[in-house]
């Protein structure tokens, strides 16, 4: 692991030059670190075999494209060639194929002798790992050495050899469609009994065909290995684990015979167990049965009394109740943290909303005029909806746009409570400057009819700056709904906790004074426990990102449109201000 120097293996693979670098590194250290690139980096299994075969070392660690090679305890550096001037130098890949005589030698005979000696040295270097070869392989190598220089850096893989083999073969099949190759797959499997590869020609000129789909389909059906795929041919190798039909049938028959023998043995074993007498067991029950457990329990087990069983049941029930109580307290602390965040967000949004004061010079209309405007407003087909956002700047802008062409405008709100509808109507009246004519119950909700007034003048800015925008109004409505839901949830949790405490006191504290059962004392104890629970809440949970909460509310907008709002969409504080001003 501490090795830093490494030998880079190029795209050509483990050549003689790389081999010599490895041996030079082994002169100083027992280990050498190799880094592979290009093709061998993607096929480290082949690289593993090449390094061990050409260097004689042992690979002790490999990860990714890096490996560490150990030279061995009996390592001996291979022989080197002798040059003509007497110096020793390592043969490179290029030097093993070039034999250049020394021009300074006067005698041609000496040059020939030296040339032969150099060839013999090169042959010895190339045959440095031939100790384990048979006599036939040695004779074959000597014959190749006599033919001329040999290229020993080739590390072609099996798939390459198979592609070369299939290049000269004729096509076995011709294919012209993408799917439904079950018949072709059966023929290919039958052909593989006599051939390693199958070569399929792709028909040309057929529309909507894809050789990739063809190859994937055949590969999945046959289970072979894809060697080659192009627009002309598809070559598939049967694989080393391919079994001919006869061999597969023989193996299946052998497997069935083995299963039959096992079944016969099992049946005989069951018969022997069934026919065994009780005397053979020496008075003991069969191992692993209920009778054995009951016998052991009778001999060494201790009988549990009824009182102990009751205590065990009470302890189990008490532990279940304690877990439930802790779970409720945890839920209460989480809900309190969430409602605290909702209140902070509401206060932040409300800070940007400034309600308008009612005008001192308000126009007054008679009852007859109100009746006329009421009938006109109810007959109007065009109306403005007031949704869950409540009153914001866009609603006031639409009212002024309606008043540009008509004197009366109708708004419809879906609020359920009349009090909240009246507060909404007063807020619209103060912000728009119009006159509230009537509040009528209609099938869609409540209809609010406003008259613009005889002295109406369109303001310069029809969208008021003191109200919330559409986005902020939606965030405010969602936050208010969330606040109301959390309030109800907290009230329910507190009620459950109070009930659990009262049940515990009624069960466990029967011997205490009767004053503890009084309602006032139970309420005071509940308040103290609630204070302890709130004090145990981690204050670090209050530190939150307000922008993330606003995004969270925005993500729930679509869900809120299908839910009925259980509270007033207007701000309660704003409604109180309106009531005080009125």
């Amino acid at each position: 692991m501490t090795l830093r120097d490494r030998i880079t293996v190029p795209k050509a693979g483990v050549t003689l030059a790389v081999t010599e670098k490895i041996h030079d590194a082994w002169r100083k250290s027992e280990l050498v670190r190799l880094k592979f690139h290009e093709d061998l980096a993607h096929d480290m299994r082949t690289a593993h075999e090449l390094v061990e075969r050409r260097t004689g070392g042992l690979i002790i660690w490999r990860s990714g494209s890096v490996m560490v090679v150990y030279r061995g305890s009996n390592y001996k550096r291979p022989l080197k060639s002798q040059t003509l001037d007497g110096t020793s130098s390592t043969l490179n890949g290029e030097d093993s194929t070039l034999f250049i005589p020394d021009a300074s030698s006067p005698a041609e005979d000496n040059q020939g002798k030296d040339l032969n000696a150099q060839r013999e040295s090169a042959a010895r270097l190339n045959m440095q790992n031939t100790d384990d070869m048979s006599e036939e392989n040695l004779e074959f190598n000597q014959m190749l050495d006599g033919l001329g220089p040999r290229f020993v850096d080739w590390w072609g893989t099996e798939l390459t050899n198979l592609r070369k083999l299939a290049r000269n073969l004729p096509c076995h099949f011709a294919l012209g469609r993408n799917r439904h190759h079950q018949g072709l797959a059966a023929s290919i499997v039958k052909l593989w009994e006599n051939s390693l590869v199958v070569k399929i020609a792709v028909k040309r000129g057929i529309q909507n065909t894809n050789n990739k789909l063809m190859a994937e389909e055949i590969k999945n059906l046959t289970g072979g290995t894809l060697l080659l795929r192009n627009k002309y041919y598809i070559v598939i190798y049967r694989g080393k684990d391919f079994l001919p039909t006869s061999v597969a049938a023989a193996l299946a028959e052998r497997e069935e015979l083995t299963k039959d023998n096992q079944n016969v043995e099992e049946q005989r074993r069951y018969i022997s167990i069934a026919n065994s007498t009780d005397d053979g067991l020496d008075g003991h029950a069969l191992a692993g049965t209920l009778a054995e457990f009951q016998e052991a329990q009778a001999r060494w087990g201790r009988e549990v009394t009824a009182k102990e069983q009751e205590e065990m049941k009470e302890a189990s029930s008490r532990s279940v109740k304690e877990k439930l109580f802790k779970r409720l307290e945890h839920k209460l602390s989480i809900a309190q943290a969430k409602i605290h965040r909702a209140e902070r967000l509401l206060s932040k949004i409300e800070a940007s909303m400034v309600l308008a004061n009612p005008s001192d010079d308000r126009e007054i209309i008679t009852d007859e005029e109100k009746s006329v405007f009421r009938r006109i407003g109810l007959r109007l087909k065009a109306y403005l909806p007031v949704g869950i956002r409540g009153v914001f700047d866009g609603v006031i802008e639409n009212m002024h746009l309606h008043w540009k062409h008509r004197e009366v405008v109708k708004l419809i709100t879906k609020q359920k409570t009349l009090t909240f509808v009246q507060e909404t109507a007063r807020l619209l009246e103060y912000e728009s400057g119009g006159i509230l004519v009537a509040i009528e119950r209609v099938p869609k909700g409540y209809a609010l009819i406003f008259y613009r007034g005889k002295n109406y003048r369109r303001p310069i800015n029809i969208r008021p700056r003191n109200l919330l925008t559409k986005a902020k109004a939606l965030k405010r409505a969602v936050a208010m709904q969330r606040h109301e839901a959390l309030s109800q949830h907290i009230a329910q949790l507190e009620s459950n906790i109070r009930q659990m405490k009262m049940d515990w006191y009624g069960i466990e504290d029967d011997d205490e004074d009767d004053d503890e059962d009084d309602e006032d004392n139970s309420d005071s104890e509940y308040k103290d426990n609630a204070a302890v629970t709130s004090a145990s809440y981690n204050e670090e949970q209050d530190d939150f990102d307000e922008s993330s909460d606003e995004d969270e509310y925005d993500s729930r907008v679509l869900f809120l449109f299908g839910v009925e709002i259980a509270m007033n969409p207007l701000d309660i504080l704003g409604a109180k201000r309106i009531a005080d001003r009125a």
Side-chain angles (χ1 to χ4, degrees):
M1 294 296 103
T2 59
L3 289 176
R4 292 294 176 264
D5 297 337
R6 63 186 184 184
I7 297 175
T8 301
V9 181
K11 181 179 180 180
V14 187
T15 60
L16 285 178
V18 176
T19 305
E20 288 301 324
K21 289 182 181 179
I22 294 173
H23 288 299
D24 291 340
W26 277 345
R27 294 178 60 186
K28 301 178 181 179
S29 175
E30 293 181 335
L31 300 176
V32 63
R33 189 184 185 97
L34 303 180
K35 171 67 176 178
F36 291 85
H37 296 279
E38 300 294 339
D39 297 338
L40 283 178
H42 301 288
D43 190 6
M44 290 299 292
R45 182 177 299 177
T46 303
H48 189 124
E49 297 174 357
L50 284 173
V51 171
E52 288 188 344
R53 185 175 72 249
R54 295 192 177 182
T55 62
L58 177 66
I59 296 175
I60 60 172
W61 180 81
R62 193 179 81 190
S63 176
S65 61
V66 179
M67 65 173 58
V68 176
V69 189
Y70 174 54
R71 69 181 184 184
S73 59
N74 300 326
Y75 170 74
K76 292 183 180 180
R77 184 175 176 83
L79 298 175
K80 296 184 179 181
S81 62
Q82 300 291 331
T83 58
L84 297 180
D85 56 355
T87 60
S88 177
S89 63
T90 305
L91 283 175
N92 296 328
E94 296 82 6
D95 296 338
S96 63
T97 59
L98 298 177
F99 302 95
I100 303 176
D102 190 0
S104 60
S105 177
E108 295 181 358
D109 296 338
N110 293 334
Q111 292 179 358
K113 293 180 181 180
D114 294 338
L115 182 60
N116 294 330
Q118 191 173 5
R119 288 180 180 272
E120 293 176 359
S121 300
R124 286 197 304 270
L125 180 62
N126 293 333
M127 296 298 296
Q128 59 184 357
N129 294 326
T130 59
D131 297 334
D132 298 334
M133 290 186 179
S134 61
E135 295 181 357
E136 295 179 356
N137 292 335
L138 287 174
E139 183 179 0
F140 180 76
N141 281 309
Q142 291 177 359
M143 181 187 67
L144 292 178
D145 292 336
L147 297 176
R150 298 176 59 183
F151 181 71
V152 295
D153 292 336
W154 173 249
W155 52 275
T157 58
E158 181 182 3
L159 297 180
T160 304
N161 297 331
L162 291 174
R163 292 190 189 98
K164 291 182 177 180
L165 175 64
R167 183 179 301 173
N168 298 325
L169 289 178
C171 295
H172 301 98
F173 304 99
L175 189 58
R177 62 183 181 183
N178 296 332
R179 299 295 186 186
H180 307 295
H181 301 144
Q182 287 78 5
L184 176 62
S187 301
I188 290 174
V189 173
K190 187 175 182 180
L191 177 64
W192 276 344
E193 296 180 2
N194 299 321
S195 176
L196 294 176
V197 296
V198 59
K199 188 175 183 181
I200 304 171
V202 179
K203 292 183 180 180
R204 306 177 189 177
I206 300 178
Q207 297 180 354
N208 300 327
T209 56
N210 189 341
N211 56 6
K212 183 177 181 181
L213 296 178
M214 297 177 184
E216 290 294 333
E217 177 79 8
I218 298 174
K219 179 181 176 182
N220 294 332
L221 291 175
T222 59
T225 302
L226 183 63
L227 295 179
L228 176 65
R229 176 185 61 81
N230 53 32
K231 62 181 180 180
Y232 302 113
Y233 303 105
I234 297 175
V235 180
I236 300 179
Y237 172 52
R238 69 180 185 182
K240 296 181 179 179
D241 56 349
F242 174 77
L243 293 178
T245 306
S246 58
V247 178
L251 291 177
E253 183 180 357
R254 185 67 178 178
E255 185 176 358
E256 291 294 333
L257 181 61
T258 304
K259 289 182 179 180
D260 294 339
N261 294 334
Q262 291 179 352
N263 293 333
V264 172
E265 292 178 359
E266 292 292 335
Q267 291 176 1
R268 292 179 179 177
R269 187 179 296 109
Y270 291 152
I271 293 173
S272 62
I273 293 174
N275 295 332
S276 62
T277 60
D278 296 336
D279 297 335
L281 297 175
D282 298 333
H284 297 287
L286 186 63
T289 60
L290 179 61
E292 183 191 18
F293 171 75
Q294 293 177 350
E295 181 182 353
Q297 187 73 12
R299 287 187 178 183
W300 301 289
R302 185 176 65 85
E303 185 177 0
V304 181
T305 62
K307 184 178 179 180
E308 291 178 348
Q309 291 181 357
E310 292 295 331
E311 291 179 354
M312 292 170 61
K313 291 181 180 179
E314 291 179 359
S316 176
S317 177
R318 191 182 303 108
S319 63
V320 171
K321 291 181 179 180
E322 288 178 355
K323 290 181 180 179
L324 180 59
F325 183 75
K326 291 181 180 179
R327 183 179 179 185
L328 290 177
E329 286 186 339
H330 179 65
K331 286 185 176 181
L332 180 61
S333 62
I334 294 176
Q336 289 175 350
K338 290 182 178 180
I339 199 172
H340 180 64
R341 291 199 296 267
E343 290 174 354
R344 289 183 59 181
L345 182 60
L346 273 174
S347 61
K348 179 182 177 182
I349 296 175
E350 289 293 338
S352 60
M353 179 179 178
V354 180
L355 299 179
N357 296 323
S359 177
D360 297 334
D361 186 12
R362 298 181 60 187
E363 186 176 349
I364 300 175
I365 59 176
T366 62
D367 294 340
E368 292 79 4
E369 291 175 337
K370 283 187 178 181
S371 178
V372 172
F373 292 141
R374 172 181 169 277
R375 290 195 300 268
I376 294 174
L378 292 176
R379 287 197 301 264
L380 288 175
K381 294 183 178 179
Y383 67 90
L384 296 177
V386 180
I388 62 172
R389 295 177 177 85
V391 180
F392 59 98
D393 55 359
V395 178
I396 306 301
E397 180 184 9
N398 290 332
M399 292 179 67
H400 287 292
L401 293 176
H402 273 257
W403 281 338
K404 181 179 179 182
H405 303 285
R406 57 183 66 89
E407 294 181 339
V408 180
V409 62
K410 180 172 68 173
L411 296 92
I412 292 181
T413 178
K414 295 185 179 181
Q415 296 174 353
K416 304 299 182 182
T417 308
L418 181 60
T419 305
F420 294 155
V421 175
Q422 292 174 353
E423 293 175 358
T424 303
R426 293 192 186 98
L427 182 58
L428 288 170
E429 186 178 14
Y430 295 158
E431 295 294 339
S432 63
I435 301 172
L436 177 62
V437 174
I439 300 175
E440 295 293 335
R441 179 71 177 179
V442 294
K444 294 182 179 180
Y446 283 93
L448 309 178
I449 301 172
F450 290 91
Y451 171 56
R452 70 180 183 181
K454 299 176 182 178
N455 301 325
Y456 171 73
R457 289 185 180 180
R458 187 178 180 182
I460 299 175
N461 295 325
I462 59 177
R463 176 175 292 186
R465 300 292 181 86
N466 58 329
L467 295 180
L468 299 177
T469 61
K470 185 178 181 180
K472 287 187 177 181
L474 179 60
K475 292 179 182 179
R476 173 172 166 271
V478 174
M480 293 179 67
Q481 184 184 11
R482 182 181 178 85
H483 186 277
E484 178 67 17
L486 288 172
S487 300
Q488 296 178 2
H489 180 57
I490 289 175
Q492 184 65 31
L493 289 176
E494 291 175 349
S495 176
N496 294 340
I497 292 174
R498 187 188 301 110
Q499 185 65 32
M500 288 184 64
K501 288 184 177 180
M502 293 175 65
D503 294 341
W504 286 355
Y505 293 150
I507 294 175
E508 299 178 359
D509 298 338
D510 292 335
D511 299 335
E512 295 184 0
D513 298 335
D514 296 336
D515 295 335
E516 293 181 358
D517 296 332
D518 189 40
E519 184 177 359
D520 296 336
N521 293 335
S522 63
D523 291 340
S524 62
E525 290 174 1
Y526 166 72
K527 292 179 181 179
D528 295 337
N529 291 326
V532 172
T533 303
S534 61
S536 63
Y537 168 70
N538 188 6
E539 294 295 338
E540 294 180 357
Q541 296 181 0
D542 290 340
D543 299 331
F544 66 97
D545 188 3
E546 297 179 354
S547 61
S548 62
D549 287 337
E550 295 176 0
D551 296 337
E552 180 183 358
Y553 297 146
D554 292 338
S555 63
R556 302 186 182 184
V557 170
L558 295 177
F559 174 72
L560 291 172
F561 282 112
V563 179
E564 181 180 350
I565 299 179
M567 65 175 299
N568 181 19
L570 295 174
D571 187 13
I572 299 176
L573 298 176
K576 290 181 178 179
R577 296 176 192 170
I578 296 173
D580 295 339
R581 292 171 186 171

